[in-house]
Amino acid sequence: MKKQTLTYLAVERLKQISAGDFSSEVREKALSCLLDFLGAAQSGLLTQLSNSILKYAELHADKPEAYVFGSDRAMCAETAAFTNTVLAHSVARDDMHLDSCSHMGSMVVSTSLALAQRDKWTGEQLIRAIVGGHEIGALLGTTIRGGGTFNTHFRASGLIGAFAAAGAAIAASFTTEEEAVNALALAVNMASGINAWAWAGGSEIYIHNGIASRAGITSYDLAYSGVHASDTVLEGRDGFFEAINAGSGAADLFRTWVETYSIGKGILDVNFKPAAGCNFTQTSSAIALKISSKHKIDNVESVKVMTTTAAISYPGCDNLGPLESKSHGKLSIQYGVCAALIFGRLDEETFSCIDDERVNSLMKRCLLVADPDYDKEYAKGLQPATVEVVLKDGNMIREAAPDVPWLGAQEVATRFLHEISPCLSADKAEQLLQQYQKIEGFDFSSGPLSV
């Protein structure tokens, strides 16, 4: 084995994580990622897509290995991971890793839970899987975007998801270096996800993540079964970096990340959205909600949103309409701001109001402007924005925020209790939360919501 290859370096990182030697801060963040996923998956049952996804799952139930949200049947691990990932991601409020521009939680946690049930992991193994999956996903995602040449026709979550999911499996149940390298190399070959959805309004954005979860398990199982793959799949000739135009310095970026950061960097950089919607709409929408709560918004002449170039240029975020789906509404900065001003809230109901005449009229008078100073802050990991609302009487309301108002651990736990309430009583939900806070002894045999 060529120990200098990037897949080998990634495996060395995962081997360290499999030993469980990381800080209490990292462990606590893993628990928040788990709770965030569980709440999002339950909320995904409220989306229109859920009916089709559960129908698909029933067609591929196969062996009863893992729990599926919204079904009374256990299904094979691959189907459970796919289905639960799509449900969690379909709400568009699952966790965000900014440097990789990816939503890893829906893929990593779903895969980890499915394998925990199939392979009878301990709670400690689950924590290692969640940490390892986020770590390795962040490593690859930061690398491919770090050179500034990445082909943005591809969606980052879909490209790195299988790699992250396979990494989760390896971190929980490390066997041999050769099998681990083969699993990661196979996962790279399963990268997928095109950004046409951003303009056509399709639901495949959510399917990208589901495919990645399933592919991660498939890659892990294939490697365990003895299938060999190219260990130079990332940096080699005609490899992944060349295919997506990651840049000539991508391999060096990968190595530098491994050398520079301690274990847990990936998961510690994960943030939890305060509301549904694309990451790049969060700050401006939050500002608009604040304006709506403080002022009676009537007779608006125009709206101006100052934000980052990254936000405006992300596929689907600069969209004045007409919008064709709820997905369009969750992506459009203009819709998020104008709907927040008109309705005073953003939720599944208001994201369904893409044909509302008041919102559409205001969107046509909503200007997006990239602020060079905000771009400098974005390079530091912040996402500032300003919203100016000009009224017909000439008065102007102006509010700004330095970053997304990300949720903390306690807020994530509170939201989890609320989102899980349709299937568990308040007492049972609180009991489940307490069990997860002592996760090392959690029994997954009856599913992740068993009390």
Side-chain angles (χ1 to χ4, degrees), residues 332-373:
S332 169
I333 296 172
Q334 292 96 327
Y335 184 84
V337 169
C338 295
L341 291 173
I342 295 294
F343 299 122
R345 58 190 173 87
L346 288 175
D347 51 32
E348 288 301 304
E349 182 182 353
T350 57
F351 278 119
S352 298
C353 299
I354 57 173
D355 295 325
D356 187 274
E357 292 183 4
R358 297 169 299 166
V359 177
N360 286 323
S361 174
L362 188 55
M363 285 173 67
K364 294 173 182 175
R365 292 171 276 134
C366 182
L367 175 67
L368 303 189
V369 178
D371 188 316
D373 289 334

Side-chain angles (χ1 to χ4, degrees), residues 236-265:
R237 181 177 178 180
D238 290 332
F240 186 62
F241 291 163
E242 287 189 4
I244 62 170
N245 198 29
S248 59
D252 288 337
L253 285 175
F254 192 100
R255 291 190 178 94
T256 298
W257 197 98
V258 172
E259 293 168 359
T260 302
Y261 298 115
S262 58
I263 296 295
K265 168 67 174 174

Side-chain angles (χ1 to χ4, degrees), residues 43-51 87 89-93 197-206 273 275-278 281 285 315-317 319 322-336 339 343 345-356 359-360 363:
S43 294
L45 295 174
L46 302 176
T47 65
Q48 186 176 1
L49 181 61
S50 65
N51 292 328
L87 289 174
H89 195 41
S90 66
V91 189
R93 74 120 194 90
W197 55 271
W199 310 111
S203 58
E204 66 266 32
I205 172 179
Y206 311 120
K273 294 179 185 177
C278 176
T281 71
S285 294
C317 284
N319 190 348
L323 307 181
E324 298 180 11
S325 69
K326 184 186 291 188
S327 295
H328 271 168
K330 291 183 176 181
L331 275 170
S332 169
I333 296 172
Q334 292 96 327
Y335 184 84
F343 299 122
R345 58 190 173 87
L346 288 175
D347 51 32
E348 288 301 304
E349 182 182 353
T350 57
F351 278 119
S352 298
C353 299
I354 57 173
D355 295 325
D356 187 274
V359 177
N360 286 323
M363 285 173 67

Side-chain angles (χ1 to χ4, degrees), residues 168-181:
I170 294 166
S173 187
F174 196 93
T175 53
T176 68
E177 291 178 351
E178 182 177 7
E179 286 179 359
V181 167

Side-chain angles (χ1 to χ4, degrees), residues 128-357:
R128 295 174 187 179
I130 294 173
V131 174
H134 279 89
E135 187 85 351
I136 221 70
L139 167 57
L140 183 58
T142 302
T143 296
I144 64 175
R145 293 183 60 85
T149 61
F150 166 69
N151 184 346
T152 56
H153 296 302
F154 294 108
R155 184 163 178 257
S157 292
L159 293 183
I160 71 170
F163 193 78
I170 294 166
S173 187
F174 196 93
T175 53
T176 68
E177 291 178 351
E178 182 177 7
E179 286 179 359
V181 167
N182 286 332
L184 292 183
L186 287 165
V188 172
N189 280 278
M190 298 189 187
S192 66
I194 309 299
N195 277 330
W197 55 271
W199 310 111
S203 58
E204 66 266 32
I205 172 179
Y206 311 120
I207 307 302
H208 293 166
N209 289 37
I211 290 172
S213 296
R214 183 174 59 197
I217 294 176
T218 300
S219 300
Y220 176 73
D221 288 347
L222 284 170
Y224 184 79
S225 300
V227 175
H228 175 76
S230 307
D231 63 345
T232 57
V233 65
L234 292 173
E235 75 275 30
R237 181 177 178 180
D238 290 332
F240 186 62
F241 291 163
E242 287 189 4
I244 62 170
N245 198 29
S248 59
D252 288 337
L253 285 175
F254 192 100
R255 291 190 178 94
T256 298
W257 197 98
V258 172
E259 293 168 359
T260 302
Y261 298 115
S262 58
I263 296 295
K265 168 67 174 174
I267 200 166
L268 290 177
D269 283 349
V270 164
N271 292 307
F272 302 109
K273 294 179 185 177
C278 176
N279 165 71
F280 291 113
T281 71
Q282 294 287 324
T283 311
S284 56
S285 294
I287 295 171
L289 287 171
K290 182 179 180 181
I291 291 174
S292 180
S293 70
K294 293 171 60 177
H295 303 275
K296 181 175 174 58
I297 304 299
D298 201 10
N299 297 319
V300 176
E301 179 66 29
S302 64
V303 178
K304 181 179 179 181
V305 179
M306 286 157 281
T307 184
T308 63
T309 299
I312 295 174
S313 63
Y314 190 78
C317 284
D318 183 5
N319 190 348
L320 285 168
L323 307 181
E324 298 180 11
S325 69
K326 184 186 291 188
S327 295
H328 271 168
K330 291 183 176 181
L331 275 170
S332 169
I333 296 172
Q334 292 96 327
Y335 184 84
V337 169
C338 295
L341 291 173
I342 295 294
F343 299 122
R345 58 190 173 87
L346 288 175
D347 51 32
E348 288 301 304
E349 182 182 353
T350 57
F351 278 119
S352 298
C353 299
I354 57 173
D355 295 325
D356 187 274
E357 292 183 4

